[in-house]
Amino acid sequence: MKLFDDIPVERPATPLLDTLEAPAALRAMNAGQLAQVADELRAYLLYSVGVSGGHFGAGLGVVELTVALHQALETPHDRLVWDVGHQAYPHKILTGRREAMTGIREYGGLAAFPRRAESEFDTFGVGHSSTSISAALGMALAARTRGESRRVCAVIGDGALTAGMAFEALAHAGHVDANLLVVLNDNEMSISENVGGMASYLARILTSKPYTSMREGGKKVLSHLPGALELARRTEEHMKGMISPATLFEELGFNYIGPIDGHDLPLLVDTLRNMRDLEGPQFLHVKTRKGKGFLPAEADPIGYHAITKLEKSEPGKGETPPPFKPAGQASSLKQKYCRVFGDWICDMAAADERLIGITPAMREGSDLVRFSKEYPERYFDVAIAEQHAVTLAAGLACEAMKPVVAIYSTFLQRGYDQLIHDVAVQELDVTFAIDRAGLVGEDGPTHHGSLDLSYLRCIPGLVVLAPADEAECRAMLSAAYQHPGPAAVRYPRGTGPGVATPDHLEPLEIGRAEWRRRGMERVALLAFGSLNGPAAEVAERLGTSHLNMRSIKPLDRDAVMAAADDHDLLVTLEENVIAGGAGSAVNELLMAEGAQVEVLNLGLPDAFVEHGKPAELLAECGLDADGIEASIRAWRG
């Protein structure tokens, strides 16, 4: 395996990889050629992500596995389902999208994750974790129902396997005895012994033709002898249990193989070829290393989960490009909203010993690293288990603790029933810090937080706040925390406008809006959260009034009615779908009060917004300053 210690600035030479327009060509290659493809694939992956930025470590860790899967399976006839999609960059390169990879995650370019509309090799669209086994099982059962000879394989990471959904699917697959292959890409959790020669040898033996033939033939013979079949089954189980951690998955009904070295390409190819022909549920456990082959990423797999793109110097300048950096490192002096939250929760924990921090596997993303170190006994990372995270918080609140759930908007969707049934119905004191609200950018429709105002606003008793800047974010978190019931603060990804945050923990008054500008025009902009920035710009251009609404629920009735009395047109602005959102709340209030004023609701469209830079997407949706101004001028006629 070729190792790298930097990212190629120029496109590397990949003569063999360049001949592959589809993975079928891999099936005619010998071991040496496959190894060359893997080296060239890793080099090209490094180069392309350096150009585009994006998910990084997971893809490097599955280069050999991806080559082996496409070599052993007859894709796309055989279905290959990737979990989450962070690991699918090598898959995209091998399936006809090599030259488009430098534009991945850009507006109009390839999606960040597998997507059915993009390629016939992308059998299932993903973005949220732990869905692969359920989807693959559905495909396997469909093939069985139609009598089709087709294999289905789900590739799931050890992190995604922490979700209950994955185990529900495993249990069901074992129950229905489906022809399903599950590959566990184990690159982090210590759930098995280190890979060694004995485990690799065992994998070859247990998947070999003689063994499987003897195993199945022996079952038929022993089935005629009372008790013999059960004795043989137990003997085999105990033998395997001595040298492999098979018990859990065997009890679920799977034939377990592994763990094997996920970077040993010949071993992977042989094992997968043999397992493809086995009947019933099969489970292959492979050990990989995130960032494999790129030494900085191997040393820091979390930091190099994703990277920003590598900027080149201008031709003729003679300058060397600046070093690339992990995607989480901001270049702006402005403070990230997640950093505001990270500082706030540490300060509030120091002031109130009842505070408990909870996250479903988003410690780094939600900026809980400092909190986890300073208050380890009050910090709970529940892994990818959003439903459990919410109900855990409910249980803590029942015992007079003060839980704070740090969660992304798109992932809170997965705990929606628990939010209603376990928290809101019981009026429990739980604070939700909702990150990545609105358009998150390059990760696209599976990750945009475009629905939360709509799905939160309809829940009785839930307070919903949205800050216009960093200082408001801190004050709103304090307000939500001190509110004696369920409350949510939703804030966007990235940096704020640059307003300094205070050191104190004084709360902002819930339900009180702020007039930021009183204009001479008969138009008032009622802005919620992040759209206060473009609202301020438009208000200056057109001379309109500007009201920072702050609170979606409850609304500031007096401020809205005052705006209606003094203006001919109210323009509501929100980075959320219009249907059922903050603008709808204003409409309902005005109708209930019998106010005679025209209203223009501006927000995200009734469609799933594609990927691209947030500024590009806001412009496309008409929510930048130019778009808002154009909508107002169009209304005027």
Side-chain angles (χ1 to χ4, degrees), residues 582-629:
S584 294
V586 173
N587 298 346
E588 293 162 10
L589 173 60
L590 293 171
M591 182 171 289
E593 296 288 343
Q596 300 297 312
V597 64
E598 293 195 59
V599 181
L600 175 61
N601 297 134
L602 298 181
L604 300 179
D606 188 23
F608 290 106
V609 179
E610 295 300 326
H611 58 277
K613 289 181 170 57
E616 295 172 326
L617 302 180
L618 285 172
E620 179 189 89
C621 297
L623 294 179
D624 61 347
D626 291 341
I628 294 168
E629 180 181 353

Side-chain angles (χ1 to χ4, degrees), residues 241-319:
M242 287 189 291
I243 46 178
S244 74
T247 305
L248 171 62
F249 301 108
E250 292 275 8
E251 289 299 321
L252 289 171
F254 280 77
N255 177 43
Y256 173 94
I257 304 297
I260 66 172
D261 185 349
H263 302 294
D264 186 334
L265 188 52
L267 175 61
L268 284 169
V269 169
D270 288 345
T271 304
L272 286 167
R273 279 177 180 170
N274 291 334
M275 294 191 77
R276 184 188 181 278
D277 297 326
L278 298 179
E279 295 292 318
Q282 307 296 322
F283 194 100
L284 175 61
H285 182 173
V286 302
K287 295 280 289 184
T288 64
R289 186 167 184 177
K290 264 189 174 182
K292 184 67 175 179
F294 182 60
L295 300 179
E298 288 190 32
D300 183 14
I302 294 176
Y304 287 92
H305 170 70
I307 65 166
T308 57
K309 64 181 176 181
L310 177 60
E311 301 292 345
K312 292 184 180 181
S313 60
E314 295 182 24
K317 296 291 186 180
E319 300 172 356

Side-chain angles (χ1 to χ4, degrees), residues 33-333:
Q33 291 172 314
L34 290 175
Q36 181 180 339
V37 166
D39 282 343
E40 293 180 6
L41 178 56
R42 183 168 277 108
Y44 186 80
L45 176 62
L46 285 165
Y47 161 74
S48 66
V49 179
V51 172
S52 65
H55 300 109
F56 188 69
L60 290 171
V62 296
V63 166
E64 287 78 17
L65 178 60
T66 306
V67 171
L69 284 166
H70 279 295
Q71 202 279 344
L73 300 175
E74 295 180 6
T75 55
H77 174 75
D78 288 341
R79 308 303 196 213
L80 179 56
V81 183
W82 295 93
D83 210 284
V84 181
H86 294 157
Q87 57 193 336
Y89 281 29
H91 161 80
K92 287 183 180 249
I93 294 171
L94 290 178
T95 52
R97 289 165 279 182
R98 179 180 63 252
E99 299 307 320
M101 287 297 293
T102 53
I104 195 170
R105 304 169 77 242
E106 292 182 359
Y107 185 72
L110 295 179
F113 307 101
R115 187 176 185 184
R116 284 169 55 82
E118 191 174 284
S119 171
E120 64 178 334
F121 291 93
D122 291 359
T123 60
F124 195 73
V126 293
H128 292 184
S129 82
S130 316
T131 62
S132 61
I133 303 175
S134 296
L137 178 58
M139 296 174 189
L141 293 176
R144 185 167 75 183
T145 300
R146 291 197 295 256
E148 295 173 345
S149 176
R150 159 185 343 271
R151 290 293 170 174
V152 183
C153 174
V155 184
I156 186 168
D158 52 336
L161 199 65
T162 62
M165 181 179 180
F167 280 93
E168 291 171 4
L170 286 170
H172 188 206
H175 176 71
V176 297
D177 198 33
N179 285 340
L180 174 67
L181 170 60
V182 175
V183 177
L184 171 60
N185 172 28
D186 178 5
N187 60 23
E188 190 172 3
M189 292 175 59
S190 299
I191 62 174
S192 65
E193 297 294 329
N194 291 332
V195 173
M198 180 59 74
S200 299
Y201 175 74
L202 176 67
R204 288 193 176 96
I205 293 296
L206 296 181
T207 61
S208 67
K209 298 292 184 184
Y211 176 84
T212 54
S213 297
M214 180 183 67
R215 184 172 182 257
E216 296 306 314
K219 284 183 179 180
K220 293 179 181 179
V221 173
L222 294 174
S223 64
H224 300 293
L225 302 176
L229 186 60
E230 176 63 16
L231 177 61
R233 186 193 70 81
R234 290 188 178 184
T235 301
E236 179 188 33
E237 178 180 310
H238 284 258
M239 289 178 62
K240 291 167 72 174
M242 287 189 291
I243 46 178
S244 74
T247 305
L248 171 62
F249 301 108
E250 292 275 8
E251 289 299 321
L252 289 171
F254 280 77
N255 177 43
Y256 173 94
I257 304 297
I260 66 172
D261 185 349
H263 302 294
D264 186 334
L265 188 52
L267 175 61
L268 284 169
V269 169
D270 288 345
T271 304
L272 286 167
R273 279 177 180 170
N274 291 334
M275 294 191 77
R276 184 188 181 278
D277 297 326
L278 298 179
E279 295 292 318
Q282 307 296 322
F283 194 100
L284 175 61
H285 182 173
V286 302
K287 295 280 289 184
T288 64
R289 186 167 184 177
K290 264 189 174 182
K292 184 67 175 179
F294 182 60
L295 300 179
E298 288 190 32
D300 183 14
I302 294 176
Y304 287 92
H305 170 70
I307 65 166
T308 57
K309 64 181 176 181
L310 177 60
E311 301 292 345
K312 292 184 180 181
S313 60
E314 295 182 24
K317 296 291 186 180
E319 300 172 356
T320 58
F324 63 89
K325 59 181 180 295
Q329 296 180 6
S331 58
S332 172
L333 295 178

Side-chain angles (χ1 to χ4, degrees), residues 392-405:
L392 174 67
L396 286 162
C398 286
E399 300 300 323
M401 302 304 288
K402 295 275 288 183
V404 176
V405 180

